[in-house]
Every structure is written in C-alpha cells, then in structure tokens.
Amino acid sequence: MTNVCSDLMNAHQTASEPKSVPESKSHVPSDKNKYLADPELGLELCASLIEKGNQKNRAATLVSELDELVQEKFLEHTENSDNTYAAQTYADLNRLLLHVSEVVSFPFFEKACTVAVGGSFSAGKSRFLNSVLGCPSLLPTDTTPTTSIPTYISKSDHDAIYALNFYKKKTQIDEEALKAICHAFSKRFNVTFSHLLQLISVERESFTYPNLIFLDTPGYSKADSLAQDKHATDANIAKEHLACSDFLIWLIDIQNGTIPQQDIEFIYDLNMDTPILCVLSKADKKTEKEIQSVIETTKQSLEDNDIEYIDVVGYSSAEHKEYSESASVISSFMQDVSDKGHSTTLYWQAKKIFADYQSYFESDKQSLKLTQGMINELIFEEGVSEEKKQHLTDFKNKIKGQLDELTRAKMEANKVQEAFIERITELCELLGLDISSEPQKHSINSLKKKSHKSKSQQVHRFDALIDGDISTLSSMADVENIPGTIEKASAVGVKISLDNNDSISVLILKQKLNKVLSQSEIENSLCVGTAVSLQILDNKKCVVKVSVEQ
C-alpha cells in the first residue's frame, strides 16, 4: 500500500506545514468535499477502504473454509491427479469464491434480478440511472474511466452506501466519500481504488423497484481504442460485471448516429442470452425527426449484426423524457423484469463445476476398461506367442494400476466436493437463500458468460442415453471425443448416430435440452446433420458436446 498511498501521504505531510502548502492543480474547496479538502480525512478514508476483513461470524468462517478447500485441498489433490480439467475447475472455483464474497456481504444481490447499464465512456450511464430512478444526485456523473467502480443500486429498509474491497471488507461510507473515490480522489491525491474495491452498493429506502438491482459500470473505452490496450482495466471490469447481469440496458450517445462497431463487438463478447434494450442517450441534442432516424438506423445495424433487442428508444436525462411511440418502453421493461423471480445459483454452480470435473474420471475409467477388455481378448487369441502374452499381461497390469489410481483420485475429489457443497449449503441456509437444484433459466443464463467464450465458440453439454453395446468402441483410441451426427429431432428429443459405428445410437431427451436452450435455439442449433462430439461415461450414459454458432 506504500506506493498506492504515497501521494496521499505526501499531501498529508505537506498539509501539516502551512507555509509550504503548494496549491493542487485539482484543488477542491472544503465546502465541496471534506475528503478532498482535508488530506488527513482523505488518508483515514483510504485506510478504511483497504483494510482487511476480520469478521468472526459463522458466515465469515464458512467463506474462509471454502477458500481453504480450493487453495489447499483441491490444489493438493490435483498435484497427484492427471485430470485435464483441473486448471479450468480451479479457475471456476475461484470465480465462484469471488461471487460468494459478494453474496455474504450483500445477500439481497442473490434474491433479485440484476439490470446492468452498459455503454462506452461518456455515453451517460450514471446520468441515465439518476434520471430514470428519480434521484438526480444518486450517482457521481463526472467519473473518469480509470477510477470508476461497479456500483449496485437496490432497495433497503434504510439509506446507506457500502464499499466492498477484494479483502472481503465491507465498509459503510457517505455520499461525499462515494463522489471522492469515484473521481476526484485520483486527481487530488493520485490514488485510485478500481483495483482495490470489488463493488459499491448504494441502498435506498425509497427505491421504486423492490425486486431489482441496477448496476452502473465503468465506461468500457477511453479516447484510445481497446485494440491498442487489450488489457484495459475498465474494459475488463465492465465486461466481468455486465456479463454477470440478468438483463442489459445498453446506452449509445445519439450523436454517434448509430451503434458503433466497437459497441457491437463488446456486446458479442458478453454472450448475453436475453435481448437487450438500447437507449440513445442525450436525445435532447437532436430534433424528434432526427431521433427517429437514428432509432431506425440503430435497429437496422443491430439486425444486420444478429443482436437480439427488445427495442431502441431515445432518452434525455436532462429532460427526464423518453422518445418512443409509447413513451413508456423503459418503465414497462423495468416492471416486467421486476415481476420475474430469481433464485440463488451458488449451490447449482458448485454442483456443476464438480460434475464437469468428475466427468473426466468416468470417461477415463471407461476408456481404460475398454482397453483392458481388448487386451483380454488378445491374450486368449490362438497363435499368440508366450512372449507376446507376457507383454500383454504386463500392459494389462499397468492398466489395472491406472484404474486403481483413478479410483483413488476420484475418492479424493469426492471428499473435496462433499466438503465444499456442505459449506455452500450451510451458507445459503444461514443467509436465508432458497437452495434450488435448477434455478430459473435467466439465472442460469447469466452465468454462461463466465467462460469468456465468444458466441461463435460456445459449447453446450447435454447428458444423454446410450443404446447399444459400447464394447464395440474398444478399438477407438479416444472415447472422450467420439464424432457423431444428429440424425433426427422429435418431440421426444434429439437422436444421434456415431460416425464410425452403426450399432450405437444416442438420445438427448427433450427435458435435458430445455434446461439449456430455448425452443428457437433448439430448432436453429440442433438441426439434422449437425456435427457433435460424445464423451462416454458408462454403458448407459454419455455427454454430448455441441458447438453452437450464435
């Protein structure tokens, strides 16, 4: 923290010597913000925001135990396992732990739908939220792209503002502190918080939508293009939080004339599964005829780029006015979303992460057993010399050793999984979160983005049933990626034939498909002739992987 706070410390030291106080280039009068006018108060604010959490309640203990299971027990297990999914599973578990820390600090986040407001820097996101929520000074509107922090707005039984840092410390702050850390703190003391604060929560008693949480994110771009800075901090922060939302309102400065190509590429990367609502901000800068022209141009651009949208409307935060045929598209959208339910996905995520990890063991076990069976047949074939039989027997024993090691590794993974799920379950019960093995579809869809895959590369996995004798696959070198083709689609489900084996067929039941895809997605993506990949689990079950172009 010495480097981070050096300028602030210097400002504090200088302030103690009145005769040599240099005037700051971004001097803020004391009647404007006490944290900027008084370096000592600024230092106290900085110290409180970077402090490590030291709560000793049961929830904090459970979070600590979950972290230990991942950082110690799981990693220790992977050192003695050849599971190729280990790295991905470790990354997924760490993302889940980050989500858990947010939920523990703000349980309401897991009970309501999140509507994110996104767009490029200077698109007017904060002003838009202040306007549509009826709170003109709710959010700072002069934020710079390098110091902005994702800010959640929700209803509470009292007005409060909290900051959550990456050390799991939740600190209550006032409005002056919010405005200082989001912008002027950087100019005044050369201290930024975007890499220290995970999020800010603004809670209001008079909030209009009790079942909604609104998310204001940093502008994703700066004056220079993202192509020049692929690791742009604000782009990464915005993308991570926007992609985790249930629904998205995308703001476009109407003076652009249409949606910029950079916005289109950014929306693609979010991999949203719900249509977006596009709002042309600063509509008061145009005549109504010009507004309608930009609306039509933007709609055409969205359609040309295959981006699903609810509507495109104009909006003026200065006039608090929507420009559309009904003049109520935004309010109707918010009310519709507010009526939707939302259940916690913590339990579901944990189960899915470990299920994907465990599938490797089942698949590898089946592959080794098929190899073992093939060796047995060769040993007892006529004409095989004793020397070759001995080699085959030695190979068979090696396979048995691998199966034993696989069984041991799976048992270790099961222990970690059981301990992890047990603590997630207790945590959900402690926080009053309804545990659901199958959350609402929009809750599940909002998690898909965490893979950070582009839409053209999205891979869906379906549990499926096998009809036929899988021993006929014993000659195949890889039973984890068996090529297949969709042969038939019906009301029962999707039937798949193996490309190199006519004696086996596979069926994905319709109910399994509906849990992942909508009916239109099923019809468009799982057509007859579509190539798929199969991973054998046992004599009756397999996993079908389908690459869907979206």
Side-chain angles (χ1 to χ4, degrees):
M1 289 295 103
T2 301
N3 291 334
V4 175
C5 299
S6 59
D7 289 341
L8 181 57
M9 291 291 292
N10 291 336
H12 174 53
Q13 292 167 357
T14 305
S16 66
E17 303 171 9
K19 294 182 180 180
S20 59
V21 176
E23 184 171 344
S24 170
K25 292 181 181 179
S26 55
H27 176 68
V28 179
S30 59
D31 61 336
K32 292 294 183 181
N33 195 297
K34 60 186 178 184
Y35 299 104
L36 305 177
D38 186 343
E40 187 169 347
L41 283 178
L43 181 60
E44 289 177 3
L45 174 62
C46 181
S48 67
L49 292 174
I50 64 177
E51 186 180 3
K52 287 190 176 182
N54 58 354
Q55 288 184 314
K56 295 182 179 179
N57 54 37
R58 181 55 184 162
T61 300
L62 287 169
V63 172
S64 178
E65 290 175 357
L66 286 168
D67 188 69
E68 182 181 342
L69 282 169
V70 174
Q71 310 307 335
E72 296 182 18
K73 300 296 184 183
F74 182 76
L75 284 182
E76 182 182 337
H77 152 74
T78 59
E79 288 177 359
N80 301 312
S81 171
D82 294 328
N83 194 321
T84 54
Y85 293 162
Q88 182 61 51
T89 302
Y90 179 68
D92 290 342
L93 286 172
N94 275 297
R95 278 192 289 269
L96 180 56
L97 287 177
L98 197 62
H99 185 187
V100 167
S101 70
E102 293 179 1
V103 173
V104 169
S105 296
F106 306 102
F108 181 72
F109 283 12
E110 199 70 1
K111 300 177 182 179
C113 287
T114 300
V115 178
V117 177
S120 65
F121 175 62
S122 80
K125 299 180 296 299
S126 298
R127 283 192 174 88
F128 169 76
L129 273 172
N130 287 347
S131 176
V132 297
L133 297 179
C135 304
S137 60
L138 181 65
L139 297 172
T141 56
D142 57 350
T143 54
T144 64
T146 57
T147 58
S148 297
I149 301 159
T151 303
Y152 291 81
I153 310 161
S154 62
K155 185 175 179 60
S156 180
D157 54 5
H158 65 281
D159 290 354
I161 304 173
Y162 298 97
L164 177 68
N165 66 24
F166 285 103
Y167 308 117
K168 304 181 179 66
K169 175 69 164 52
K170 176 181 175 182
T171 304
Q172 185 167 0
I173 60 176
D174 57 25
E175 290 191 15
E176 283 189 85
L178 174 65
K179 292 176 181 179
I181 65 179
C182 282
H183 173 57
F185 219 82
S186 174
K187 288 185 177 180
R188 179 75 169 91
F189 300 120
N190 196 27
V191 175
T192 60
F193 293 94
S194 57
H195 62 299
L196 296 171
L197 295 183
Q198 191 170 331
L199 61 88
I200 291 173
S201 173
V202 178
E203 302 174 7
R204 288 292 179 264
E205 185 178 0
S206 59
F207 193 68
T208 311
Y209 304 96
N211 298 319
L212 291 185
I213 299 170
F214 287 87
L215 167 61
D216 183 29
T217 58
Y220 76 85
S221 62
K222 305 177 184 178
D224 53 335
S225 70
L226 287 175
Q228 296 173 327
D229 185 8
K230 293 182 180 179
H231 301 289
T233 301
D234 292 312
N236 293 335
I237 293 174
K239 187 174 295 184
E240 180 180 345
H241 285 262
L242 285 170
C244 291
S245 64
D246 299 303
F247 301 93
L248 175 63
I249 297 176
W250 191 262
L251 259 67
I252 305 161
D253 189 333
I254 198 168
Q255 296 175 99
N256 288 324
T258 186
I259 180 169
Q261 183 61 35
Q262 196 173 10
D263 282 21
I264 290 171
E265 293 171 2
F266 194 93
I267 293 171
Y268 268 134
D269 285 342
L270 294 179
N271 202 8
M272 297 296 294
D273 288 274
T274 52
I276 66 174
L277 174 62
C278 279
V279 175
L280 301 171
S281 63
K282 308 175 187 178
D284 53 289
K285 304 291 185 182
K286 300 283 186 180
T287 65
E288 292 204 18
K289 184 177 180 180
E290 289 173 328
I291 292 170
Q292 190 56 43
S293 175
V294 178
I295 287 175
E296 294 304 320
T297 302
T298 302
K299 285 182 177 180
Q300 188 60 55
S301 183
L302 290 169
E303 291 169 5
D304 290 344
N305 287 279
D306 295 322
I307 295 177
E308 287 188 79
Y309 65 93
I310 297 168
D311 207 340
V312 179
V313 301
Y315 192 83
S316 167
S317 297
E319 301 173 335
H320 308 295
K321 179 181 178 181
E322 176 185 315
Y323 290 84
S324 67
E325 190 173 333
S326 67
S328 61
V329 171
I330 296 172
S331 59
S332 296
F333 166 76
M334 291 179 178
Q335 192 57 56
D336 289 345
V337 173
S338 183
D339 292 338
K340 296 180 182 292
H342 194 284
S343 57
T344 179
T345 60
L346 291 179
Y347 179 84
W348 181 85
Q349 285 186 75
K351 293 281 285 186
K352 187 177 186 304
I353 289 170
F354 280 105
D356 289 345
Y357 182 70
Q358 294 280 17
S359 68
Y360 163 85
F361 293 119
E362 293 301 323
S363 178
D364 206 33
K365 177 182 176 181
Q366 194 60 45
S367 177
L368 289 171
K369 282 191 171 182
L370 287 171
T371 303
Q372 196 176 48
M374 182 175 63
I375 292 172
N376 281 333
E377 291 178 7
L378 291 173
I379 288 176
F380 293 103
E381 275 188 5
E382 292 183 10
V384 177
S385 67
E386 290 300 319
E387 183 181 358
K388 286 185 177 180
K389 282 184 179 182
Q390 185 58 51
H391 284 309
L392 289 169
T393 301
D394 291 342
F395 189 34
K396 177 184 173 182
N397 291 334
K398 183 179 179 180
I399 295 295
K400 183 181 182 303
Q402 290 176 328
L403 282 168
D404 291 342
E405 179 60 26
L406 200 64
T407 300
R408 183 202 60 77
K410 184 180 178 183
M411 288 177 64
E412 279 187 359
N414 281 336
K415 288 180 181 178
V416 177
Q417 175 180 342
E418 288 170 5
F420 196 93
I421 298 297
E422 179 184 331
R423 285 159 178 77
I424 285 288
T425 302
E426 183 181 347
L427 188 62
C428 289
E429 292 173 348
L430 189 65
L431 299 175
L433 303 175
D434 293 332
I435 297 175
S436 173
S437 58
E438 289 294 341
Q440 288 93 337
K441 189 178 177 187
H442 66 266
S443 302
I444 296 176
N445 284 342
S446 68
L447 299 170
K448 291 181 179 178
K449 69 292 158 199
K450 299 196 174 191
S451 64
H452 298 292
K453 295 176 182 176
S454 66
K455 292 191 174 185
S456 60
Q457 297 176 326
Q458 188 170 1
V459 177
H460 293 297
R461 295 164 62 93
F462 304 95
D463 292 331
L465 303 175
I466 298 175
D467 181 21
D469 183 7
I470 65 168
S471 65
T472 57
L473 301 175
S474 60
S475 61
M476 299 190 67
D478 183 9
V479 293
E480 291 188 24
N481 292 288
I482 299 174
T485 305
I486 294 179
E487 182 181 319
K488 182 181 180 181
S490 66
V492 177
V494 170
K495 183 179 179 182
I496 298 167
S497 61
L498 275 61
D499 291 355
N500 301 313
N501 194 312
D502 297 332
S503 63
I504 296 177
S505 62
V506 172
L507 176 66
I508 310 175
L509 295 174
K510 191 65 175 289
Q511 65 188 55
K512 297 291 185 182
L513 297 172
N514 289 336
K515 288 179 180 179
V516 180
L517 301 174
S518 66
Q519 184 57 40
S520 62
E521 287 173 326
I522 293 173
E523 293 173 355
N524 294 330
S525 304
L526 304 181
C527 308
V528 174
T530 299
V532 302
S533 175
L534 294 89
Q535 179 182 8
I536 303 297
L537 299 180
D538 57 35
N539 292 328
K540 296 181 179 179
K541 293 184 295 183
C542 71
V543 172
V544 177
K545 292 172 280 188
V546 185
S547 297
V548 177
E549 182 122 359
Q550 297 188 354

